[in-house]
């Protein structure tokens, strides 16, 4: 079913509506402090496990491997743990269920862009989660384990931009997984594939740079390193200067591509829409 004749908001009202959707996502995330604390505990626990394993790898390699020392490996571990609550590497979103049940039909009747209205609250949740869950994880890394971080402000400024782009990109790609339900109906297998491939290439388990060259080539052909690994590279000054700007440029290119594909899939899905179960 297609929504026709739906009145659109004026430009200023539309921008305000999108801003409120972003804020609504932040407020939703803030409503679950116990869940946030549980996530922080999980971050710290698995962070310590990763520290023990990867420090053993560095030590076995003679104190350095693929450009990582104990200090820079610690920075990778705790920054990745800090981003875990903000970057969606699980492939699940509210849009997935709305497509499956057919409730998305009502979304097309609203005077706002369906894609933006679903991605923005998720981004808001991710951005808010970094404060009570991400920053404490990083503090644990600094105080308990020790992290080697840049002494100049440049990597932090550009790294913050890169980090936000990574968060936005992850939720934009997850939206693609969700709207694939217009054709697949059941997307759990696709979500599982996203989790496995995304976690591997985003650097969730081990630094992307420890992979063999052929696997790095495959990984760079996906958007996943731009979600987590590349922002960490910029924040830790593993890449600097023009190389760091190139990394941000790659992130922007993937984001533009994901949004464009999402727009096309949404329009195609609207034309194909079948309401399931009601």
């Amino acid at each position: 079913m297609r929504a026709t004749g739906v009145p659109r908001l004026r430009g200023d009202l539309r921008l305000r509506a999108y801003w409120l959707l972003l804020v609504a996502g932040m407020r939703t995330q803030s409503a679950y402090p116990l869940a946030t604390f549980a996530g922080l505990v999980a971050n710290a626990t698995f962070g310590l496990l990763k520290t023990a394993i990867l420090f053993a790898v560095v030590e076995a390699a003679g104190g350095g491997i693929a450009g990582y020392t104990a200090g820079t490996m610690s920075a990778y571990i705790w920054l990745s743990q800090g981003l875990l609550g903000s970057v969606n590497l699980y492939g699940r979103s509210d849009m997935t269920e709305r497509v499956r049940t057919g409730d998305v039909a009502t979304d097309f009747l609203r005077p706002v862009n369906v894609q933006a209205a679903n991605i923005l609250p998720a981004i808001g949740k991710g951005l808010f989660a970094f404060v009570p869950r991400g920053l404490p994880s990083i503090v644990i890394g600094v105080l308990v384990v020790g992290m080697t971080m840049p002494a100049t402000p440049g990597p932090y400024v550009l790294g913050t931009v890169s980090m936000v782009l990574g968060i936005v990109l992850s939720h934009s790609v997850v939206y693609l997984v969700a709207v694939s339900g217009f054709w697949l109906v059941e997307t759990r297998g696709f979500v599982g594939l996203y989790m496995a491939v995304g976690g591997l290439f985003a650097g969730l388990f081990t630094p992307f740079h420890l992979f063999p060259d052929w696997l790095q080539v495959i990984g760079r052909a996906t958007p996943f390193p731009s979600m987590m690994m590349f922002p960490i590279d910029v924040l830790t000054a593993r890449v600097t200067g023009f190389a760091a700007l190139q990394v941000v440029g790659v992130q922007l290119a993937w984001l533009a591509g994901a949004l464009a594909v999402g727009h096309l899939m949404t329009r195609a899905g609207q034309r194909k829409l079948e309401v399931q179960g009601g």
Side-chain angles (χ1 to χ4, degrees):
M1 57 183 294
R2 294 187 63 184
T4 58
V6 179
R8 312 307 290 179
L9 295 175
R10 295 200 319 265
D12 56 336
L13 293 179
R14 188 160 58 246
L15 288 176
R16 176 170 171 77
Y18 292 148
W19 168 253
L20 291 176
L21 286 168
L22 182 70
V23 172
M26 296 180 179
R27 289 180 175 174
T28 299
Q29 187 67 27
S30 68
Y32 301 98
L34 290 180
T36 299
F37 179 72
L40 174 59
V41 171
N43 278 10
T45 301
F46 285 100
L48 292 172
L49 290 173
K50 286 173 67 175
T51 298
I53 295 170
L54 292 176
F55 272 27
V57 172
V58 172
E59 183 177 355
I65 182 171
Y68 287 98
T69 62
T72 54
M73 184 64 80
S74 177
Y76 150 75
I77 292 168
W78 293 99
L79 286 172
S80 63
Q81 291 301 111
L83 286 170
L84 190 54
S86 300
V87 175
N88 189 337
L89 295 177
Y90 303 105
R92 295 186 294 270
S93 71
D94 294 338
M95 184 65 167
T96 303
E97 185 65 14
R98 296 189 65 79
V99 173
R100 188 189 69 80
T101 61
D103 289 342
V104 69
T106 61
D107 296 341
F108 288 115
L109 298 175
R110 298 189 174 106
V112 291
N113 181 276
V114 171
Q115 182 182 16
N118 280 274
I119 293 176
L120 285 171
I123 294 172
K125 292 178 183 179
L127 292 174
F128 180 87
F130 186 74
V131 178
R133 182 173 173 181
L135 290 178
S137 297
I138 296 171
V139 170
I140 292 172
V142 172
L143 298 180
V144 178
V145 184
M147 295 165 50
T148 300
M149 294 293 290
T152 57
Y156 298 104
V157 175
L158 188 59
T160 299
V161 174
S162 181
M163 181 185 71
V164 172
L165 286 174
I167 294 171
V168 175
L169 175 61
S170 72
H171 293 288
S172 300
V173 174
V174 167
Y175 178 83
L176 303 184
V177 176
V179 294
S180 69
F182 284 123
W183 295 271
L184 300 178
V185 181
E186 180 53 73
T187 60
R188 282 182 293 184
F190 200 9
V191 169
L193 179 63
Y194 176 94
M195 290 176 61
V197 177
L200 178 68
F201 289 135
L204 175 61
F205 312 115
T206 187
F208 178 82
H209 308 290
L210 297 187
F211 296 161
D213 292 341
W214 64 268
L215 191 56
Q216 289 193 41
V217 170
I218 295 174
R220 290 180 187 277
T222 74
F224 300 115
S226 292
M227 296 178 186
M228 181 181 286
M229 192 72 252
F230 289 169
I232 293 173
D233 287 346
V234 177
L235 280 166
T236 58
R238 184 180 176 92
V239 291
T240 58
F242 183 68
L245 291 175
Q246 283 183 309
V247 166
V248 173
V250 169
Q251 290 181 283
L252 286 170
W254 277 116
L255 177 57
L259 292 175
V261 172
H263 173 70
L264 294 175
M265 290 181 68
T266 302
R267 294 190 64 178
Q270 183 179 1
R271 290 192 294 267
K272 185 180 176 61
L273 181 62
E274 295 176 0
V275 177
Q276 303 293 326

